[in-house]
Amino acid sequence: MSNITRRSFLQRGTAAAAALTIVPSAVLGKSHGHTAPTDKLNIAGVGIGGMGNANLKNMETTENIVALCDIDWKYSKAVFDRHPQAKKYWDYRKMYDEMGKSIDAVLVATADHTHAMITADAMTLGKHVYTQKPLTHSVYESRLLTNLAKKYDVATQMGNQGSSGEGVNLICEWIANGEIGEVTKVECATNRPIWPQGLNAPEKVDKIPSTLNWDLFTGPAKLRPFNKTYHPWNWRGWWDYGTGALGDMACHIMHPVFKALHLGYPTKVQGSSTLLLQDCAPNAQHVKLIFPARDNMPKVAMPEVEVHWYDGGIMPDRPEGFPQGKELMGPGGGLCIFHGTKDTLICGCYGLNPWLLSGRVPNVAKTERRVKDVKKGDAHEQDWIRACKESAGSRVQTKSNFLEAGPFNEMVVMGVLAVRLQRLNKVLDWDGPNMRFTNIDPSETIKIIKKDTFEVIDGDPKFKTEWTDPINAQEFAAGLIKHNYRDGWKLVDMPR
């Protein structure tokens, strides 16, 4: 564990950020955190055993990897071995404290529940950040990173790589040009989860491997006894650490919806699912979000729109006229159907292969910025690196910078909220600016299934369901919107 105190860390971070703000970048050397456009960035990676490994491969071809941090050194061994020159750490806070002056940018690819604090701490140090999807674990954390991006003006990118692809560009251009008319409904789906969900919390306690720091993995969440079902990788199906299939794939699948339709905060949300448990995400979910009318675009109006999400094998109905015999699920294991008043636009995950149900191929002006070298597979990371090397005053924002990814991620984790609050048995009204539900009564309570089992006795199945005691619904919802962190872990304050 790190020996630095939180106060010491924040004091150093504030001083570093102030130095970057006050001293003109043109007179700063690399030792002060400034990187000239012709120089290589010094990048630190936090969470490098899974997707972080792939991200680093797309960064290390052009930049320096100077520090690596992970809570599982066996899972991360291949990356450590590939970068013997990089200093190794268990605790990101110790890494920031010791190498803050040597690091220009940070990759964050940990479990969902630690994205926000690692990213926020890097931004307060004035570091550029690339953070995997979903950007955060909660609505409040998403709002925090959005506001920190405004304050510190560093280069940011969420790891939904499809946003740098051609499909999203075309969808935005077609809709803006009025090719499908006004969009009043969108349906999205994924083939996830492909990992176990709908499980009772494990009762067995496994021995913690010597190569794993379980306390650091747990971070701000409740410290549970270690079980192999949580780590590695399967953590995403457990509410304490992940956001289920929705958090895993909606940032890829729903981004063109959010971007092309200029969505903001939803006003109403409801969710349903297969068996909903206290600790684990369900096997299948349906979420419906209502967004109010937005300002009209020059060639098309933006009326109220309902957006649907399906996972776990649940699919929307096949649109009338959809080719018989053609699979509805799109490429990449994802689907989006934009229902317009003139036509229907369909695409796969990442906005792949957009097409119109009418068979028309729109010929419209290219108004969206294209990211170079998309076919190489490193475009999303390299576009962020490009932005890191540009001065804040003239920087061209990345395709999924936090000013956009933060509000979009609120939409994603709002779907998780809707599912987890479904036992209130109502459509929930959402006050986006103030991050609160307006129709949960102060005295209202909610009960959640702790455990669901059955056994066969004399050929007859006997079901047993264990429920929590009644929980105050307002307090429960508030805890989902803004998590209560475990002692020893804290988010930076929300900028004013």
Side-chain angles (χ1 to χ4, degrees), residues 63 122 198 217 233 242 327 356 375 439 491:
E63 313 305 312
F217 172 87
W233 207 73
E327 183 180 5
L356 300 186
K375 292 182 180 179
N439 64 333
L491 274 175

Side-chain angles (χ1 to χ4, degrees), residues 208-258:
I208 302 174
S210 61
T211 54
L212 170 67
N213 190 316
W214 180 240
D215 184 76
L216 285 178
F217 172 87
T218 301
K222 173 185 175 181
L223 184 60
R224 296 176 177 273
F226 174 70
N227 185 278
K228 294 176 182 178
T229 193
Y230 296 134
H231 174 83
W233 207 73
N234 285 341
W235 51 261
R236 66 183 65 252
W238 297 92
W239 291 132
D240 278 352
Y241 319 121
T243 44
L246 203 158
D248 181 56
M249 293 304 291
C251 288
H252 292 313
I253 296 168
M254 300 181 87
H255 184 246
V257 182
F258 185 85

Side-chain angles (χ1 to χ4, degrees), residues 192-193 195-199 245 273-275 280-285 311-314:
R192 301 305 201 271
W195 52 87
Q197 288 191 182
L199 302 176
S273 71
T274 52
L275 178 69
C280 194
N283 285 319
Q285 308 170 115
D311 64 40
I314 304 175

Side-chain angles (χ1 to χ4, degrees), residues 1 93 215 218-223 484-490:
M1 287 290 291
R93 296 169 298 181
D215 184 76
T218 301
K222 173 185 175 181
L223 184 60
N484 296 314
Y485 278 19
R486 183 165 63 112
D487 287 347
W489 302 88
K490 185 180 183 298

Side-chain angles (χ1 to χ4, degrees), residues 290-312:
I290 303 294
F291 292 86
R294 286 84 62 217
D295 290 341
N296 292 340
M297 299 177 69
K299 295 185 179 181
V300 67
M302 294 278 115
E304 179 182 273
V305 59
E306 60 182 59
V307 178
H308 294 258
W309 171 265
Y310 306 88
D311 64 40

